[in-house]
Amino acid sequence: MNGRTGVPVTIGVMERSSTTSGGSARREATRQKLYEAAVTLIAEQGFSATTVDEIAERAGVAKGTVYYNFASKSVLFEELLRHGVGLLTASLREAAEKTAAQGGSRVDALDAMVRAGLVFIDRYPAFTQLYVAELWRTNRAWQSTLMVVRQQAVAVVEGVLREGVAAGEFSEEIDVPLTAAALVGMVLVAALDWKSFQPERSLDDVHAALSRLLQGRVSGHR
Amino acid sequence: MNGRTGVPVTIGVMERSSTTSGGSARREATRQKLYEAAVTLIAEQGFSATTVDEIAERAGVAKGTVYYNFASKSVLFEELLRHGVGLLTASLREAAEKTAAQGGSRVDALDAMVRAGLVFIDRYPAFTQLYVAELWRTNRAWQSTLMVVRQQAVAVVEGVLREGVAAGEFSEEIDVPLTAAALVGMVLVAALDWKSFQPERSLDDVHAALSRLLQGRVSGHR
DNA sequence: GTTTTTGCACTGACCAGTCAGTTCAAAAAG
DNA sequence: CTTTTTGAACTGACTGGTCAGTGCAAAAAC
Protein backbone atom coordinates (compact mmCIF):
# COMPACT_ATOMS: atom_id res chain seq x y z
CA MET A 1 0.00 0.00 0.00
CA ASN A 2 2.70 2.44 0.91
CA GLY A 3 3.79 3.43 -2.55
CA ARG A 4 7.41 3.41 -1.55
CA THR A 5 9.66 2.58 -4.48
CA GLY A 6 13.21 2.23 -3.24
CA VAL A 7 16.29 3.78 -4.73
CA PRO A 8 17.85 1.62 -7.45
CA VAL A 9 20.69 0.30 -5.38
CA THR A 10 19.84 -3.28 -6.16
CA ILE A 11 22.44 -5.84 -5.44
CA GLY A 12 21.38 -7.74 -8.49
CA VAL A 13 19.47 -10.89 -9.11
CA MET A 14 21.72 -13.89 -8.79
CA GLU A 15 20.32 -17.29 -9.57
CA ARG A 16 18.68 -18.74 -6.48
CA SER A 17 21.43 -20.70 -4.80
CA SER A 18 19.49 -23.92 -5.35
CA THR A 19 17.90 -23.55 -1.95
CA THR A 20 14.18 -23.60 -2.40
CA SER A 21 13.41 -24.10 -6.02
CA GLY A 22 9.85 -23.39 -5.02
CA GLY A 23 10.51 -19.69 -4.59
CA SER A 24 7.66 -18.00 -6.34
CA ALA A 25 8.32 -14.92 -8.39
CA ARG A 26 6.25 -12.86 -6.05
CA ARG A 27 8.16 -13.94 -3.00
CA GLU A 28 11.42 -13.36 -4.79
CA ALA A 29 10.41 -9.82 -5.59
CA THR A 30 9.63 -9.17 -1.96
CA ARG A 31 12.99 -10.51 -0.90
CA GLN A 32 14.67 -8.34 -3.47
CA LYS A 33 13.00 -5.26 -2.06
CA LEU A 34 14.09 -6.22 1.41
CA TYR A 35 17.68 -6.69 0.28
CA GLU A 36 17.73 -3.29 -1.31
CA ALA A 37 16.31 -1.60 1.73
CA ALA A 38 18.63 -3.41 4.11
CA VAL A 39 21.80 -2.79 2.14
CA THR A 40 21.52 0.98 2.13
CA LEU A 41 20.32 1.27 5.69
CA ILE A 42 23.00 -0.99 7.09
CA ALA A 43 25.68 0.70 5.05
CA GLU A 44 24.68 4.04 6.48
CA GLN A 45 24.06 3.10 10.07
CA GLY A 46 25.61 -0.25 10.67
CA PHE A 47 23.89 -3.52 11.43
CA SER A 48 23.01 -2.95 15.05
CA ALA A 49 21.76 0.57 14.57
CA THR A 50 19.40 -0.48 11.81
CA THR A 51 16.00 -1.68 12.96
CA VAL A 52 13.81 -4.25 11.31
CA ASP A 53 10.97 -1.74 11.34
CA GLU A 54 13.10 0.63 9.29
CA ILE A 55 13.96 -2.04 6.77
CA ALA A 56 10.33 -3.01 6.37
CA GLU A 57 9.22 0.55 5.99
CA ARG A 58 11.87 1.37 3.41
CA ALA A 59 11.01 -1.77 1.47
CA GLY A 60 7.35 -0.85 1.62
CA VAL A 61 6.21 -4.06 3.27
CA ALA A 62 4.83 -4.99 6.66
CA LYS A 63 7.11 -6.09 9.44
CA GLY A 64 5.48 -9.50 9.48
CA THR A 65 6.58 -9.98 5.89
CA VAL A 66 10.21 -9.66 6.89
CA TYR A 67 9.81 -12.55 9.28
CA TYR A 68 7.78 -14.52 6.82
CA ASN A 69 10.67 -14.34 4.35
CA PHE A 70 13.68 -14.49 6.66
CA ALA A 71 14.25 -16.33 9.88
CA SER A 72 15.85 -13.35 11.54
CA LYS A 73 17.55 -10.03 11.01
CA SER A 74 20.99 -11.65 10.93
CA VAL A 75 19.92 -14.26 8.43
CA LEU A 76 18.71 -11.54 6.12
CA PHE A 77 22.06 -9.84 6.50
CA GLU A 78 24.05 -13.00 5.93
CA GLU A 79 22.23 -13.79 2.72
CA LEU A 80 22.91 -10.25 1.59
CA LEU A 81 26.62 -10.75 2.17
CA ARG A 82 26.80 -14.05 0.38
CA HIS A 83 24.92 -12.76 -2.57
CA GLY A 84 26.88 -9.53 -2.96
CA VAL A 85 30.31 -11.11 -2.77
CA GLY A 86 29.12 -13.78 -5.17
CA LEU A 87 28.48 -11.09 -7.71
CA LEU A 88 31.88 -9.51 -7.18
CA THR A 89 33.70 -12.81 -7.44
CA ALA A 90 31.95 -13.69 -10.66
CA SER A 91 32.78 -10.31 -12.07
CA LEU A 92 36.47 -10.57 -11.18
CA ARG A 93 36.72 -14.06 -12.58
CA GLU A 94 35.07 -13.02 -15.80
CA ALA A 95 37.46 -10.10 -16.19
CA ALA A 96 40.48 -12.33 -15.69
CA GLU A 97 39.23 -15.00 -18.06
CA LYS A 98 38.27 -12.60 -20.77
CA THR A 99 41.71 -11.02 -20.67
CA ALA A 100 43.39 -14.39 -20.82
CA ALA A 101 41.21 -15.45 -23.73
CA GLN A 102 42.28 -12.39 -25.65
CA GLY A 103 45.91 -13.22 -25.09
CA GLY A 104 46.58 -10.44 -22.65
CA SER A 105 49.42 -10.58 -20.13
CA ARG A 106 48.86 -11.16 -16.41
CA VAL A 107 49.39 -7.48 -15.79
CA ASP A 108 46.58 -6.90 -18.22
CA ALA A 109 44.47 -9.37 -16.30
CA LEU A 110 45.23 -7.59 -13.04
CA ASP A 111 44.35 -4.32 -14.67
CA ALA A 112 41.08 -5.72 -15.95
CA MET A 113 40.27 -6.92 -12.47
CA VAL A 114 41.00 -3.51 -11.04
CA ARG A 115 38.50 -2.11 -13.47
CA ALA A 116 35.97 -4.80 -12.67
CA GLY A 117 36.38 -3.92 -9.00
CA LEU A 118 35.81 -0.26 -9.73
CA VAL A 119 32.73 -1.02 -11.80
CA PHE A 120 31.36 -3.11 -8.97
CA ILE A 121 31.94 -0.44 -6.36
CA ASP A 122 30.53 2.17 -8.68
CA ARG A 123 27.38 0.10 -8.99
CA TYR A 124 27.02 -1.09 -5.43
CA PRO A 125 28.72 1.46 -3.21
CA ALA A 126 26.46 0.73 -0.27
CA PHE A 127 27.28 -2.95 -0.35
CA THR A 128 30.99 -2.28 -0.53
CA GLN A 129 30.80 0.08 2.37
CA LEU A 130 28.93 -2.39 4.49
CA TYR A 131 31.31 -5.17 3.59
CA VAL A 132 34.42 -3.23 4.54
CA ALA A 133 32.85 -2.17 7.80
CA GLU A 134 32.20 -5.75 8.82
CA LEU A 135 35.09 -7.70 7.37
CA TRP A 136 37.66 -7.41 10.11
CA ARG A 137 35.33 -7.57 13.04
CA THR A 138 35.60 -10.48 15.38
CA ASN A 139 33.09 -12.22 17.58
CA ARG A 140 30.18 -11.72 15.29
CA ALA A 141 27.59 -14.25 14.24
CA TRP A 142 28.33 -14.08 10.53
CA GLN A 143 32.10 -14.13 10.88
CA SER A 144 32.51 -17.51 9.21
CA THR A 145 30.27 -16.53 6.33
CA LEU A 146 32.34 -13.43 5.86
CA MET A 147 35.62 -15.33 5.86
CA VAL A 148 34.50 -17.86 3.32
CA VAL A 149 33.15 -15.22 1.07
CA ARG A 150 36.23 -13.04 1.38
CA GLN A 151 38.48 -15.93 0.49
CA GLN A 152 36.49 -16.62 -2.66
CA ALA A 153 37.08 -13.10 -3.91
CA VAL A 154 40.73 -12.80 -2.93
CA ALA A 155 41.45 -16.23 -4.36
CA VAL A 156 40.72 -14.94 -7.84
CA VAL A 157 43.42 -12.31 -7.50
CA GLU A 158 45.81 -14.78 -5.94
CA GLY A 159 45.19 -17.15 -8.82
CA VAL A 160 46.29 -14.60 -11.38
CA LEU A 161 49.35 -13.72 -9.34
CA ARG A 162 50.37 -17.36 -9.06
CA GLU A 163 49.94 -17.91 -12.76
CA GLY A 164 52.04 -14.84 -13.37
CA VAL A 165 54.82 -16.14 -11.15
CA ALA A 166 54.69 -19.55 -12.79
CA ALA A 167 54.88 -17.96 -16.23
CA GLY A 168 57.81 -15.80 -15.20
CA GLU A 169 55.84 -12.61 -15.62
CA PHE A 170 56.06 -11.76 -11.96
CA SER A 171 59.03 -12.01 -9.66
CA GLU A 172 59.20 -15.24 -7.71
CA GLU A 173 59.88 -13.19 -4.62
CA ILE A 174 56.39 -11.79 -4.33
CA ASP A 175 54.23 -12.83 -1.45
CA VAL A 176 51.06 -13.93 -3.18
CA PRO A 177 48.44 -13.70 -0.42
CA LEU A 178 49.77 -10.46 0.94
CA THR A 179 50.18 -8.84 -2.44
CA ALA A 180 46.65 -9.87 -3.34
CA ALA A 181 45.32 -8.31 -0.16
CA ALA A 182 47.30 -5.14 -0.82
CA LEU A 183 45.94 -4.88 -4.35
CA VAL A 184 42.40 -5.37 -3.17
CA GLY A 185 42.98 -2.74 -0.52
CA MET A 186 44.37 -0.33 -3.02
CA VAL A 187 41.27 -0.54 -5.18
CA LEU A 188 38.88 -0.65 -2.26
CA VAL A 189 40.14 2.42 -0.48
CA ALA A 190 40.77 4.42 -3.62
CA ALA A 191 37.26 3.66 -4.83
CA LEU A 192 35.55 4.40 -1.54
CA ASP A 193 37.41 7.68 -1.37
CA TRP A 194 36.40 8.41 -4.91
CA LYS A 195 32.73 7.80 -4.18
CA SER A 196 32.83 9.62 -0.88
CA PHE A 197 34.91 12.65 -1.64
CA GLN A 198 35.17 13.10 -5.42
CA PRO A 199 32.05 11.48 -6.82
CA GLU A 200 32.13 13.64 -9.92
CA ARG A 201 35.19 11.95 -11.35
CA SER A 202 34.79 9.38 -14.07
CA LEU A 203 35.54 5.72 -13.67
CA ASP A 204 38.06 5.86 -16.49
CA ASP A 205 39.89 8.61 -14.74
CA VAL A 206 40.18 6.69 -11.50
CA HIS A 207 41.10 3.55 -13.36
CA ALA A 208 43.90 5.31 -15.19
CA ALA A 209 45.37 6.58 -11.94
CA LEU A 210 45.32 3.13 -10.39
CA SER A 211 46.77 1.53 -13.52
CA ARG A 212 49.72 3.84 -13.29
CA LEU A 213 50.32 2.87 -9.71
CA LEU A 214 49.87 -0.82 -10.47
CA GLN A 215 52.43 -0.79 -13.22
CA GLY A 216 55.00 1.03 -11.18
CA ARG A 217 54.89 4.03 -13.41
CA VAL A 218 54.85 6.34 -10.41
CA SER A 219 58.52 6.64 -9.78
CA GLY A 220 59.78 8.59 -12.74
CA HIS A 221 61.47 5.72 -14.55
CA ARG A 222 59.95 5.95 -17.97
CA MET B 1 46.64 22.14 20.11
CA ASN B 2 46.35 20.22 23.32
CA GLY B 3 49.77 20.42 24.82
CA ARG B 4 49.92 17.10 26.49
CA THR B 5 53.03 15.69 27.96
CA GLY B 6 54.39 12.19 28.12
CA VAL B 7 52.02 10.26 25.93
CA PRO B 8 51.36 6.89 27.52
CA VAL B 9 51.56 3.79 25.45
CA THR B 10 47.84 3.41 25.05
CA ILE B 11 45.41 4.96 22.65
CA GLY B 12 43.62 7.13 25.12
CA VAL B 13 44.66 10.46 26.58
CA MET B 14 42.75 13.34 25.18
CA GLU B 15 42.52 16.82 26.48
CA ARG B 16 40.00 17.14 29.26
CA SER B 17 36.80 18.78 28.15
CA SER B 18 36.66 21.33 30.96
CA THR B 19 39.29 22.68 33.30
CA THR B 20 42.78 22.52 31.92
CA SER B 21 44.76 22.68 35.11
CA GLY B 22 42.56 20.56 37.31
CA GLY B 23 43.00 17.22 35.61
CA SER B 24 43.77 15.07 38.56
CA ALA B 25 45.94 12.04 38.08
CA ARG B 26 43.19 9.83 39.35
CA ARG B 27 40.69 11.12 36.85
CA GLU B 28 43.17 10.83 34.02
CA ALA B 29 43.85 7.24 34.91
CA THR B 30 40.12 6.49 34.86
CA ARG B 31 39.74 8.00 31.43
CA GLN B 32 42.65 6.00 30.22
CA LYS B 33 41.02 2.79 31.36
CA LEU B 34 37.79 3.79 29.66
CA TYR B 35 39.53 4.49 26.37
CA GLU B 36 41.25 1.16 26.42
CA ALA B 37 38.07 -0.70 27.21
CA ALA B 38 36.07 1.17 24.59
CA VAL B 39 38.56 0.76 21.78
CA THR B 40 38.64 -3.01 21.89
CA LEU B 41 34.94 -3.48 22.46
CA ILE B 42 33.93 -1.13 19.66
CA ALA B 43 36.46 -2.67 17.31
CA GLU B 44 34.97 -6.08 17.95
CA GLN B 45 31.30 -5.28 17.97
CA GLY B 46 30.84 -1.86 16.45
CA PHE B 47 29.69 1.32 18.11
CA SER B 48 25.99 0.60 18.38
CA ALA B 49 26.41 -2.96 19.54
CA THR B 50 28.70 -1.93 22.35
CA THR B 51 26.93 -0.88 25.51
CA VAL B 52 28.10 1.62 28.04
CA ASP B 53 27.62 -1.01 30.70
CA GLU B 54 30.11 -3.24 28.92
CA ILE B 55 32.65 -0.47 28.63
CA ALA B 56 32.32 0.35 32.30
CA GLU B 57 32.59 -3.26 33.34
CA ARG B 58 35.65 -3.90 31.21
CA ALA B 59 37.29 -0.77 32.55
CA GLY B 60 36.44 -1.84 36.07
CA VAL B 61 34.46 1.27 36.96
CA ALA B 62 30.82 2.00 37.58
CA LYS B 63 28.56 3.11 34.80
CA GLY B 64 28.08 6.50 36.38
CA THR B 65 31.81 7.10 36.13
CA VAL B 66 31.60 6.94 32.37
CA TYR B 67 29.10 9.77 32.42
CA TYR B 68 31.06 11.66 34.99
CA ASN B 69 34.03 11.69 32.63
CA PHE B 70 32.32 11.98 29.26
CA ALA B 71 29.21 13.79 28.19
CA SER B 72 27.89 10.81 26.26
CA LYS B 73 28.81 7.56 24.59
CA SER B 74 29.48 9.31 21.28
CA VAL B 75 31.67 11.94 22.86
CA LEU B 76 33.83 9.23 24.35
CA PHE B 77 34.08 7.66 20.92
CA GLU B 78 34.88 10.91 19.18
CA GLU B 79 37.71 11.72 21.54
CA LEU B 80 39.07 8.26 20.94
CA LEU B 81 39.07 8.87 17.20
CA ARG B 82 40.74 12.23 17.37
CA HIS B 83 43.48 11.02 19.60
CA GLY B 84 44.23 7.85 17.69
CA VAL B 85 44.53 9.51 14.33
CA GLY B 86 46.62 12.21 15.94
CA LEU B 87 49.12 9.57 16.93
CA LEU B 88 49.17 8.08 13.45
CA THR B 89 49.62 11.43 11.77
CA ALA B 90 52.50 12.35 14.03
CA SER B 91 54.12 9.02 13.36
CA LEU B 92 53.82 9.36 9.58
CA ARG B 93 55.14 12.88 9.62
CA GLU B 94 58.08 11.89 11.74
CA ALA B 95 58.94 9.04 9.40
CA ALA B 96 58.87 11.33 6.38
CA GLU B 97 60.94 14.03 8.03
CA LYS B 98 63.52 11.66 9.36
CA THR B 99 64.02 10.16 5.93
CA ALA B 100 64.36 13.57 4.36
CA ALA B 101 66.87 14.66 7.01
CA GLN B 102 69.01 11.65 6.19
CA GLY B 103 69.02 12.58 2.54
CA GLY B 104 66.75 9.77 1.42
CA SER B 105 64.70 9.93 -1.76
CA ARG B 106 60.91 10.38 -1.79
CA VAL B 107 60.49 6.72 -2.49
CA ASP B 108 62.47 6.12 0.66
CA ALA B 109 60.16 8.49 2.50
CA LEU B 110 57.13 6.65 1.18
CA ASP B 111 58.67 3.40 2.23
CA ALA B 112 59.39 4.76 5.70
CA MET B 113 55.79 5.86 5.97
CA VAL B 114 54.58 2.44 4.95
CA ARG B 115 56.63 1.02 7.77
CA ALA B 116 55.36 3.63 10.19
CA GLY B 117 51.84 2.68 9.19
CA LEU B 118 52.55 -0.98 9.79
CA VAL B 119 54.09 -0.25 13.17
CA PHE B 120 51.04 1.73 14.13
CA ILE B 121 48.62 -0.98 13.07
CA ASP B 122 50.75 -3.57 14.78
CA ARG B 123 50.52 -1.58 17.98
CA TYR B 124 46.91 -0.50 17.79
CA PRO B 125 45.08 -3.08 15.69
CA ALA B 126 41.79 -2.49 17.46
CA PHE B 127 41.87 1.20 16.78
CA THR B 128 42.65 0.66 13.12
CA GLN B 129 39.82 -1.80 12.78
CA LEU B 130 37.37 0.56 14.35
CA TYR B 131 38.55 3.44 12.21
CA VAL B 132 38.14 1.57 8.95
CA ALA B 133 34.72 0.36 9.96
CA GLU B 134 33.46 3.87 10.55
CA LEU B 135 35.27 5.97 7.99
CA TRP B 136 32.96 5.68 5.02
CA ARG B 137 29.69 5.67 6.86
CA THR B 138 27.31 8.51 6.26
CA ASN B 139 24.74 10.16 8.46
CA ARG B 140 26.59 9.61 11.65
CA ALA B 141 27.17 12.10 14.43
CA TRP B 142 30.94 12.04 14.27
CA GLN B 143 31.21 12.20 10.48
CA SER B 144 32.82 15.63 10.44
CA THR B 145 35.34 14.66 13.08
CA LEU B 146 36.21 11.65 11.03
CA MET B 147 36.68 13.65 7.84
CA VAL B 148 38.95 16.20 9.41
CA VAL B 149 41.03 13.59 11.04
CA ARG B 150 41.29 11.50 7.87
CA GLN B 151 42.45 14.47 5.88
CA GLN B 152 45.21 15.19 8.36
CA ALA B 153 46.65 11.73 7.90
CA VAL B 154 46.27 11.50 4.13
CA ALA B 155 47.70 14.99 3.74
CA VAL B 156 51.05 13.78 4.98
CA VAL B 157 51.21 11.20 2.20
CA GLU B 158 49.99 13.70 -0.34
CA GLY B 159 52.70 16.11 0.78
CA VAL B 160 55.47 13.65 0.05
CA LEU B 161 53.94 12.79 -3.32
CA ARG B 162 53.75 16.46 -4.30
CA GLU B 163 57.33 17.08 -3.28
CA GLY B 164 58.33 14.09 -5.30
CA VAL B 165 56.55 15.37 -8.37
CA ALA B 166 58.08 18.82 -7.91
CA ALA B 167 61.52 17.30 -7.59
CA GLY B 168 61.03 15.19 -10.68
CA GLU B 169 61.23 11.97 -8.74
CA PHE B 170 57.65 11.03 -9.54
CA SER B 171 55.85 11.29 -12.83
CA GLU B 172 53.87 14.47 -13.26
CA GLU B 173 51.00 12.37 -14.45
CA ILE B 174 50.17 10.91 -11.07
CA ASP B 175 46.94 11.85 -9.39
CA VAL B 176 48.13 12.92 -5.98
CA PRO B 177 44.99 12.58 -3.84
CA LEU B 178 43.92 9.34 -5.42
CA THR B 179 47.36 7.80 -5.33
CA ALA B 180 47.68 8.77 -1.69
CA ALA B 181 44.37 7.11 -0.90
CA ALA B 182 45.40 4.01 -2.82
CA LEU B 183 48.68 3.78 -0.93
CA VAL B 184 46.95 4.17 2.39
CA GLY B 185 44.49 1.48 1.35
CA MET B 186 47.25 -0.83 0.31
CA VAL B 187 48.89 -0.65 3.71
CA LEU B 188 45.63 -0.67 5.61
CA VAL B 189 44.15 -3.75 4.04
CA ALA B 190 47.41 -5.66 3.85
CA ALA B 191 48.03 -4.97 7.50
CA LEU B 192 44.54 -5.84 8.65
CA ASP B 193 44.75 -9.08 6.75
CA TRP B 194 48.12 -9.74 8.28
CA LYS B 195 46.80 -9.23 11.80
CA SER B 196 43.60 -11.13 11.15
CA PHE B 197 44.75 -14.09 9.15
CA GLN B 198 48.54 -14.45 9.47
CA PRO B 199 49.37 -12.86 12.82
CA GLU B 200 52.49 -14.95 13.20
CA ARG B 201 54.35 -13.15 10.42
CA SER B 202 56.92 -10.54 11.31
CA LEU B 203 56.54 -6.87 10.58
CA ASP B 204 59.74 -6.89 8.53
CA ASP B 205 58.36 -9.64 6.40
CA VAL B 206 55.17 -7.78 5.64
CA HIS B 207 57.06 -4.58 5.09
CA ALA B 208 59.35 -6.24 2.58
CA ALA B 209 56.40 -7.53 0.59
CA LEU B 210 54.78 -4.13 0.46
CA SER B 211 58.06 -2.42 -0.44
CA ARG B 212 58.36 -4.68 -3.42
CA LEU B 213 54.88 -3.75 -4.56
CA LEU B 214 55.49 -0.06 -3.93
CA GLN B 215 58.62 0.02 -6.01
CA GLY B 216 57.08 -1.81 -8.88
CA ARG B 217 59.32 -4.78 -8.48
CA VAL B 218 56.40 -7.12 -8.94
CA SER B 219 56.42 -7.40 -12.68
CA GLY B 220 59.46 -9.49 -13.37
CA HIS B 221 61.88 -6.74 -14.41
CA ARG B 222 64.84 -7.50 -12.19
C1' DG C 1 48.10 17.55 66.70
C1' DT C 2 43.44 16.60 66.34
C1' DT C 3 38.92 17.45 64.60
C1' DT C 4 35.83 19.22 61.14
C1' DT C 5 34.69 20.65 56.58
C1' DT C 6 34.94 20.67 51.72
C1' DG C 7 34.30 19.01 47.25
C1' DC C 8 36.05 15.88 43.68
C1' DA C 9 35.61 11.35 41.83
C1' DC C 10 32.94 7.62 41.86
C1' DT C 11 28.84 4.49 42.62
C1' DG C 12 24.89 1.58 41.23
C1' DA C 13 19.98 1.26 41.51
C1' DC C 14 16.61 3.15 38.76
C1' DC C 15 13.81 5.08 34.77
C1' DA C 16 11.76 5.81 30.45
C1' DG C 17 12.26 4.36 26.14
C1' DT C 18 13.57 1.03 22.32
C1' DC C 19 13.97 -3.18 19.76
C1' DA C 20 13.88 -8.05 17.92
C1' DG C 21 10.91 -11.25 17.57
C1' DT C 22 5.93 -13.44 18.10
C1' DT C 23 1.18 -13.96 17.21
C1' DC C 24 -2.86 -14.07 14.57
C1' DA C 25 -7.07 -13.01 12.21
C1' DA C 26 -8.09 -11.55 7.98
C1' DA C 27 -7.34 -9.93 3.37
C1' DA C 28 -5.09 -10.23 -1.08
C1' DA C 29 -2.96 -12.78 -4.70
C1' DG C 30 -2.57 -16.65 -7.63
C1' DC D 1 -8.19 -23.91 -2.55
C1' DT D 2 -3.17 -22.49 -1.15
C1' DT D 3 0.40 -19.25 -0.64
C1' DT D 4 1.77 -14.90 0.68
C1' DT D 5 1.18 -10.56 2.78
C1' DT D 6 -0.78 -7.42 6.10
C1' DG D 7 -0.82 -4.71 10.28
C1' DA D 8 -1.28 -4.01 14.71
C1' DA D 9 -0.82 -5.57 19.39
C1' DC D 10 2.20 -7.65 22.65
C1' DT D 11 6.32 -9.38 25.22
C1' DG D 12 10.43 -9.49 27.47
C1' DA D 13 14.97 -8.20 27.40
C1' DC D 14 18.02 -4.55 27.01
C1' DT D 15 19.96 0.47 26.85
C1' DG D 16 21.47 5.27 27.31
C1' DG D 17 21.32 8.34 30.60
C1' DT D 18 20.19 10.12 35.56
C1' DC D 19 20.76 11.14 40.34
C1' DA D 20 20.90 10.88 45.32
C1' DG D 21 24.29 9.25 47.96
C1' DT D 22 29.21 7.35 49.46
C1' DG D 23 34.27 7.51 50.28
C1' DC D 24 38.19 9.87 51.02
C1' DA D 25 42.21 12.97 51.01
C1' DA D 26 43.52 17.48 51.61
C1' DA D 27 42.39 22.03 53.53
C1' DA D 28 40.56 24.67 57.34
C1' DA D 29 39.53 25.37 61.97
C1' DC D 30 40.51 24.69 66.54
Side-chain angles (χ1 to χ4, degrees), chain A residues 107 110-111 114 170 183 186 207-222, chain B residues 107 110 169-174 179 183 186 210-221:
Chain A
V107 179
L110 241 35
D111 195 65
V114 167
F170 298 145
L183 288 173
M186 186 184 96
H207 181 207
L210 290 183
S211 275
R212 230 168 274 141
L213 187 56
L214 181 68
Q215 293 169 17
R217 278 190 278 124
V218 172
S219 322
H221 54 53
R222 189 156 315 194
Chain B
V107 179
L110 240 36
E169 278 183 59
F170 298 143
S171 159
E172 283 186 1
E173 283 182 341
I174 72 169
T179 304
L183 289 174
M186 185 184 95
L210 290 183
S211 274
R212 230 168 274 140
L213 187 56
L214 181 68
Q215 294 169 17
R217 279 189 281 125
V218 172
S219 319
H221 50 53

Side-chain angles (χ1 to χ4, degrees), chain B residues 32-79:
Chain B
Q32 192 59 227
K33 283 192 292 182
L34 286 170
Y35 281 134
E36 287 170 35
V39 91
T40 46
L41 286 168
I42 297 179
E44 280 174 9
Q45 308 174 324
F47 176 80
S48 306
T50 300
T51 69
V52 176
D53 284 293
E54 273 178 320
I55 296 174
E57 192 195 337
R58 170 97 76 153
V61 301
K63 187 178 186 176
T65 305
V66 176
Y67 286 94
Y68 180 78
N69 283 282
F70 299 96
S72 70
K73 186 185 171 188
S74 349
V75 166
L76 163 55
F77 182 57
E78 256 181 276
E79 294 197 13

Side-chain angles (χ1 to χ4, degrees), chain A residues 133-172:
Chain A
E134 295 294 337
L135 182 55
W136 293 284
R137 282 215 206 299
T138 50
N139 302 339
R140 304 229 84 175
W142 50 80
Q143 246 251 300
S144 57
T145 298
L146 221 32
M147 290 271 305
V148 169
V149 123
R150 177 205 93 103
Q151 194 48 42
Q152 287 174 354
V154 175
V156 183
V157 181
E158 291 179 352
V160 172
L161 287 176
R162 283 212 186 79
E163 289 172 17
V165 171
E169 278 184 60
F170 298 145
S171 160
E172 283 186 1

Side-chain angles (χ1 to χ4, degrees), chain A:
Chain A
M1 294 302 168
N2 314 354
R4 193 77 195 58
T5 312
V7 200
V9 196
T10 321
I11 222 52
V13 192
M14 204 165 66
E15 322 81 282
R16 296 294 299 110
S17 45
S18 72
T19 37
T20 37
S21 54
S24 75
R26 188 173 165 220
R27 197 166 179 185
E28 206 52 48
T30 303
R31 290 190 176 205
Q32 194 55 226
K33 282 193 292 182
L34 285 170
Y35 281 137
E36 288 170 35
V39 92
T40 46
L41 286 169
I42 297 179
E44 279 174 10
Q45 309 173 323
F47 177 81
S48 308
T50 301
T51 69
V52 175
D53 285 293
E54 272 178 321
I55 296 173
E57 191 195 339
R58 173 99 108 200
V61 303
K63 187 179 182 180
T65 306
V66 176
Y67 285 93
Y68 181 77
N69 283 282
F70 297 95
S72 70
K73 185 185 171 189
S74 347
V75 166
L76 163 55
F77 183 57
E78 256 182 276
E79 294 197 14
L80 205 51
L81 282 176
R82 246 195 299 273
H83 179 67
V85 178
L87 278 184
L88 173 61
T89 305
S91 174
L92 290 178
R93 192 167 287 141
E94 190 197 336
E97 282 168 4
K98 194 165 285 182
T99 309
Q102 293 173 354
S105 69
R106 308 297 172 184
V107 179
D108 292 334
L110 241 35
D111 195 65
M113 289 167 74
V114 167
R115 168 166 277 266
L118 288 175
V119 167
F120 181 86
I121 297 172
D122 188 32
R123 187 121 111 199
Y124 311 119
F127 178 81
T128 308
Q129 214 172 300
L130 161 171
Y131 180 72
V132 169
E134 295 294 337
L135 182 55
W136 293 284
R137 282 215 206 299
T138 50
N139 302 339
R140 304 229 84 175
W142 50 80
Q143 246 251 300
S144 57
T145 298
L146 221 32
M147 290 271 305
V148 169
V149 123
R150 177 205 93 103
Q151 194 48 42
Q152 287 174 354
V154 175
V156 183
V157 181
E158 291 179 352
V160 172
L161 287 176
R162 283 212 186 79
E163 289 172 17
V165 171
E169 278 184 60
F170 298 145
S171 160
E172 283 186 1
E173 283 182 340
I174 72 169
D175 181 314
V176 171
L178 211 137
T179 304
L183 288 173
V184 169
M186 186 184 96
V187 177
L188 213 54
V189 173
L192 285 172
D193 259 50
W194 161 39
K195 293 316 257 180
S196 299
F197 310 124
Q198 306 184 297
E200 73 284 0
R201 300 187 57 170
S202 76
L203 198 152
D204 285 332
D205 199 15
V206 175
H207 181 207
L210 290 183
S211 275
R212 230 168 274 141
L213 187 56
L214 181 68
Q215 293 169 17
R217 278 190 278 124
V218 172
S219 322
H221 54 53
R222 189 156 315 194

